């Protein structure tokens, strides 16, 4: 039994335990768990429309998960993905609305604007940590609120004239894909899913194959040894937050250029940034893991909409089931411990 | 004989790699029993089996004659087995007492009863002559004191059998003397001790019997009264070992390192190096000797760019390198074997192979246009592993999984391989077995013979006397004397280290 096995076992068992606990709760509250989960499955993958919706929902989750995972692998805890995503969303939409350009330029430009805005939002906590040793968790949490109010202000007072939403981005900046829509029975699936997969490959490549990745991970593991080795620790901390923020920012672009086509006043957080933490955790902070975990979260989110309709399980219960899965993922430490106990018994 | 511990035919594997192969160790009541073996022979592994950290694949453990299954350290504690690990496990910001009771707090109405605990710690400390202040913060006490806190921790939990894993590797000579006293006091109170050490002198001095293992296999147990250091060394290594390193007279040439009027502050902002002058020439080894805490570490950190210089200049080959960043110092031709291998020397969570290019990873052939070439990295690593006899299951094994001595050999290989103009070796043989020490000393001398400058920092007077061509004694941040090892004695060095001046006004 090798390490690889354990790497897979822990998240899988977490998910199963979460589903099991969810089943118990459905049972206790007088619902039929089998029917409930059947409805969940149908709502996520039942036909091509639902599958398309699941993939669409998965797209920003991948970016948010990559952002958290990237920071984590380099020794930082980026709780600010939510805020970085919001500013990225706004920047993309603004570029998408304000310019008139051919698609080959306009779309990349709009996505880059999202990345840049997220990067700036990530730079701030990175800089403060590097220069003043302020913990990134505190700064990123505060910047989430700042981002929420700043974007709302921009939408209402700068981009539009007192309206609740921006205009829809130009066709030349849109991620919408008639091909994908046709394929999936007119779901809202857009080209962003391809970008998300490419982003996952980039993250893997950056960390595992590049010289920068060697440095970033070294700094994450041991700052003293990195300094001894002649690496610029402060620069690497900032860079790591910038890259993480850029991933999150593009996650926002997915919403602005793909799913919604515009941006609107948000009264609260979308939650995608926070779910990104769970996605990264479940995915073991690896690129492949993040993609798989994002698929699961996308499926839960989309499929759960079908549960009240098809099986009568109330919406709140669905939220509880999802929360339970996250809980078990977060307690993976406990599961690792249980597994090792189990293994020892076996060995005797 | 009356055995408190019997480990019979123990076998432990790591993914197919056999670290312990049919090893037997029997600890008699009231004895100090040495466990001797080369780096990576499997000593720590065997003790971790006894302490319940690892489960053996085969073999039996008996405590007081009864077979037991020690599946975790709590069971070991309950059986009266305590372990003082080589790398301490203390919380810096807690007091001595808080650390000792951690996980075992005496409760009164749901709150921790610190007074009572402190009283008990004080009593234990007095009983065994440990002289530990129960209310001091860990961060404020010396390494030697921290080790005593670890000892107290085991005693507090009622340990009857104490395992010491290389306790003397981190201590100064004075502290070692005191530790030996403490171990004798423990035996007098009826405890039994297993001691892992590479220092044969210590074994001869305090131990009753010694069990030797070589490459994971038990070689046998001998009475200390019936053996001598040479015999032990050959048992352990499997060949004869020389203790004094042979070398020809140095032929020093031009000055490589020149330090003038250097002042450096320590982490708390107190001046640690004061107006220090030092010179190391090509083709010589200069040994810095002094009592720990007299500015040695700060001096080295200043030269290597890890610490700010507050006054003075540092020149390398006639070019000023004062306040250079570590990378520029490295690129100027300085290599540094750091004192603390876990803090500075290695990224423990990287494969040992990746650690072999810690300073050169961005250079060709390891990196080309920003892309790592791990094939080249591991190729390099393999040659170094081979050349420096680093015992590791493979080059992709995490550095963390290597034995302490093999981690050290890996670092030394990496630094020496760069063939620097100046090699700074801070306690290079800490935790190494006699064979490896001999090997390292030869490499240092080889560097010298190739016309390189070597600056050696060591707390081992033997090492300083054997290897250096000149000895610079450091006291309160200044070089107070430079002596020729052939014309001095350990006594004289001891006096100089304690601050007594020799013919004043000598230029360094
Ligand atoms: N967790 C582990 N996984 C894989 N290999 C290991 C692990 N722990 C130890 N080893 C290997 O087992 C061998 C014995 O290691 P051990 O730490 O017991 O040596 P040691 O005798 O204590 O050496 P030293 O004197 O250098 O401390 C080494 O080759 C080491 O690389
Ligand atoms: Mg060891």
């Amino acid at each position: 039994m090798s390490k690889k096995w354990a790497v897979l076992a822990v998240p899988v068992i977490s998910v199963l335990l979460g589903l099991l606990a969810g089943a118990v709760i459905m049972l206790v509250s007088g619902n039929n768990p089998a029917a409930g989960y059947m409805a969940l499955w149908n709502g996520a993958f039942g036909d091509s429309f639902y599958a398309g919706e699941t993939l669409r929902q998965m797209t920003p989750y991948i970016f948010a998960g990559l952002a958290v995972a990237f920071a984590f692998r380099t020794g930082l805890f980026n709780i600010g993905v939510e805020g970085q995503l919001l500013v990225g969303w706004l920047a993309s939409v603004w570029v998408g609305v304000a310019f008139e350009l051919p698609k080959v330029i306009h779309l990349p430009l709009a996505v880059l604007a999202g990345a840049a805005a997220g990067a700036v939002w990530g730079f701030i906590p990175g800089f403060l940590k590097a220069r003043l040793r302020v913990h990134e968790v505190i700064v990123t949490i505060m910047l989430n609120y700042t981002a929420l109010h700043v974007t709302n202000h921009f939408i209402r007072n700068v981009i539009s004239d007192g309206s609740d939403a921006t205009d829809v981005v130009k066709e030349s900046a849109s991620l919408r894909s008639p091909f994908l829509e046709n394929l999936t029975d007119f779901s809202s699936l857009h080209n962003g899913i391809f970008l998300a997969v490419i982003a996952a490959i980039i993250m893997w490549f950056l960390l595992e194959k590049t010289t920068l990745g060697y440095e970033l991970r070294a700094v994450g593991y041991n700052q003293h040894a990195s300094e001894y080795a002649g690496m610029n620790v402060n620069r690497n901390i900032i860079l790591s937050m910038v890259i993480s923020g850029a991933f999150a920012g593009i996650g926002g672009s997915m919403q602005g250029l793909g799913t919604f086509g515009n941006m609107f006043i948000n009264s609260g957080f979308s939650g995608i940034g926070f779910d990104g933490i769970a996605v990264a955790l479940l995915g073991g902070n690896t690129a492949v893991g993040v993609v798989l975990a994002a698929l699961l979260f996308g499926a839960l989110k989309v499929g759960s909409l079908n549960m009240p309709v098809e099986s009568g399980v109330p919406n709140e219960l669905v939220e509880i089931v999802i929360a339970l899965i996250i809980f078990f993922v977060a307690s993976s430490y406990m599961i690792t411990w249980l597994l090792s106990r189990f293994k020892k018994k076996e060995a005797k | 004989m009356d055995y408190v511990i019997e480990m019979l035919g123990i076998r432990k594997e790591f993914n197919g790699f056999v670290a312990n192969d049919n090893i037997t160790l029997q600890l008699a009541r009231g004895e100090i029993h040495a466990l001797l073996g080369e780096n990576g022979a499997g000593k720590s592994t065997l003790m971790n089996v006894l302490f319940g950290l690892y489960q053996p694949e085969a073999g039996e453990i008996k405590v007081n004659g009864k077979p037991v299954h020690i599946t975790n350290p709590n069971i070991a504690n309950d059986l009266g087995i305590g372990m003082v690990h080589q790398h301490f496990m203390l919380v810096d910001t807690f007091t001595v007492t808080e650390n000792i009771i951690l996980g075992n707090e005496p409760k009164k109405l749901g709150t921790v009863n610190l007074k009572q605990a402190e009283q008990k710690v004080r009593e234990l400390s007095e009983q065994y002559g440990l002289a530990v202040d129960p209310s001091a913060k860990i961060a404020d006490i010396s390494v030697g004191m921290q080790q005593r806190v670890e000892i107290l921790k085991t005693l507090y939990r009622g340990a009857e059998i104490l395992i010491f894993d290389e306790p003397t590797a981190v201590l100064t000579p004075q502290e070692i003397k005191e530790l030996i006293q403490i171990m004798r006091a423990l035996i007098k109170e009826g405890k039994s001790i297993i001691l892992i050490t590479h220092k044969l002198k210590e074994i001869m001095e305090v131990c009753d019997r010694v069990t030797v293992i070589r490459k994971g296999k038990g070689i046998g147990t001998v009475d200390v009264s019936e053996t001598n250091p040479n015999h032990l060394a050959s048992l352990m290594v499997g060949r004869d070992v020389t203790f004094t390193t042979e070398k020809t007279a140095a032929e020093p040439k031009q000055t490589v390192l020149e330090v003038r009027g250097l002042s450096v502050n320590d982490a708390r902002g107190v001046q640690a190096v004061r107006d220090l002058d030092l010179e190391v020439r090509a083709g010589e080894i200069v040994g810095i000797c002094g009592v720990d805490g007299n500015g040695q570490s700060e001096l080295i950190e200043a030269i290597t760019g890890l610490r700010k210089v507050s006054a003075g200049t540092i020149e390398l080959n006639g070019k000023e390198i004062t306040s250079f960043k570590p990378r520029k110092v490295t690129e100027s031709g300085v290599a540094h074997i750091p004192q603390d291998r876990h803090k500075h020397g290695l990224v423990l969570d990287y494969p040992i192979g990746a650690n072999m290019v810690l300073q050169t990873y961005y250079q060709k052939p390891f990196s080309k246009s920003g892309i790592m070439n791990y094939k080249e990295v591991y190729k390099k690593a393999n040659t170094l592993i081979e050349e420096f006899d680093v015992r590791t299951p493979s080059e992709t094994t995490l550095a963390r999984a290597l034995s302490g001595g093999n981690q050290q050999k890996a670092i030394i290989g990496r630094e020496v391989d760069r063939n620097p103009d100046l090699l700074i070796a801070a306690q290079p043989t800490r935790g190494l077995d006699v064979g490896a020490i001999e090997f390292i000393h030869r490499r240092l001398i080889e560097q010298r013979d190739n016309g390189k400058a070597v600056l050696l920092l060591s707390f081992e007077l033997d090492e300083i006397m054997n290897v250096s061509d000149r000895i610079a004694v450091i006291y309160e941040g200044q070089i107070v004397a430079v002596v020729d090892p052939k014309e001095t004695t350990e006594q004289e060095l001891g006096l100089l280290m304690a601050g007594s001046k020799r013919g004043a006004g000598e230029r360094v």
Side-chain angles (χ1 to χ4, degrees), chain B residues 105-332:
Chain B
E105 302 89 347
K107 301 261 172 58
K108 198 168 82 182
L109 299 172
T111 57
V112 176
N113 189 345
L114 223 83
K115 274 259 165 52
Q116 185 194 326
E118 213 168 285
Q119 186 53 34
K120 190 169 168 200
V121 170
R122 183 166 288 125
E123 280 167 21
L124 278 172
S125 168
E126 275 164 20
Q127 186 182 352
Y128 296 98
L130 296 175
V132 170
D133 172 8
S135 55
K137 277 229 166 66
I138 294 299
D140 298 336
I141 61 178
S142 70
V143 172
M145 275 295 164
Q146 291 179 12
Q147 185 173 64
R148 294 182 189 187
V149 175
E150 289 281 2
I151 298 173
L152 272 174
K153 223 157 93 181
T154 65
L155 295 173
Y156 185 88
R157 286 162 170 68
E160 288 300 317
I161 298 133
L162 284 91
I163 306 168
F164 286 89
D165 194 351
E166 292 191 44
T168 56
V170 292
L171 299 183
T172 60
Q174 181 54 34
E175 287 172 329
I176 292 176
K177 275 196 201 121
E178 289 165 11
L179 178 66
I180 287 176
Q181 296 286 310
I182 292 168
M183 289 199 287
R184 293 212 167 107
L186 288 166
I187 293 299
K188 213 176 275 157
E189 298 283 330
K191 316 279 179 198
S192 312
I193 294 177
I194 299 178
L195 171 69
I196 299 181
T197 178
H198 290 294
K199 299 180 189 165
L200 303 173
K201 253 189 357 198
E202 286 164 10
I203 295 181
M204 298 307 296
E205 188 176 344
V206 289
C207 295
D208 301 297
R209 295 191 307 148
V210 45
T211 293
V212 183
I213 58 181
R214 189 196 304 158
K215 296 190 177 162
K217 290 196 170 64
I219 297 297
T221 301
V222 291
D223 274 345
V224 167
S225 56
E226 289 164 13
T227 184
N228 59 53
N230 283 320
H231 178 227
L232 284 178
S234 59
L235 273 182
M236 160 181 141
V237 184
R239 65 177 164 89
D240 285 337
V241 179
T242 51
F243 286 98
T244 47
T245 324
E246 306 218 352
K247 60 172 193 196
T248 52
E251 292 170 22
K253 302 202 177 62
Q254 80 284 5
T255 303
V256 173
L257 175 74
E258 182 157 14
V259 177
R260 287 276 166 255
L262 187 73
S263 294
V264 186
N265 291 345
D266 68 12
R268 292 164 298 164
V270 180
Q271 195 173 53
V273 175
R274 293 184 299 135
D275 194 21
L276 178 143
D277 293 334
L278 177 71
E279 196 181 285
V280 186
R281 290 165 295 176
E284 72 169 349
I285 300 177
V286 173
I288 294 198
C289 107
V291 177
D292 195 12
N294 274 284
Q296 298 93 320
S297 313
E298 287 81 6
L299 168 64
I300 287 176
E301 285 170 3
I303 298 173
T304 51
L306 290 166
R307 187 172 286 284
K308 272 224 307 270
V309 169
S310 49
T313 59
I314 303 165
E315 282 183 8
L316 188 78
N317 293 322
K319 289 197 203 69
E320 184 157 347
I321 58 162
T322 325
S323 301
F324 271 24
K325 290 255 155 46
R327 168 138 315 155
K328 283 192 79 181
V329 176
T330 308
E331 286 177 347
S332 310

Side-chain angles (χ1 to χ4, degrees), chain A residues 209 211 214-215 217-218 222 228, chain B residues 336 350 354 361 367 370 372:
Chain A
K209 295 288 158 197
T211 313
Y214 178 95
E215 257 189 45
R217 283 185 296 136
N222 185 346
Y228 157 88
Chain B
H336 173 200
Y350 267 178
Y361 65 91
S367 163
M372 290 298 284

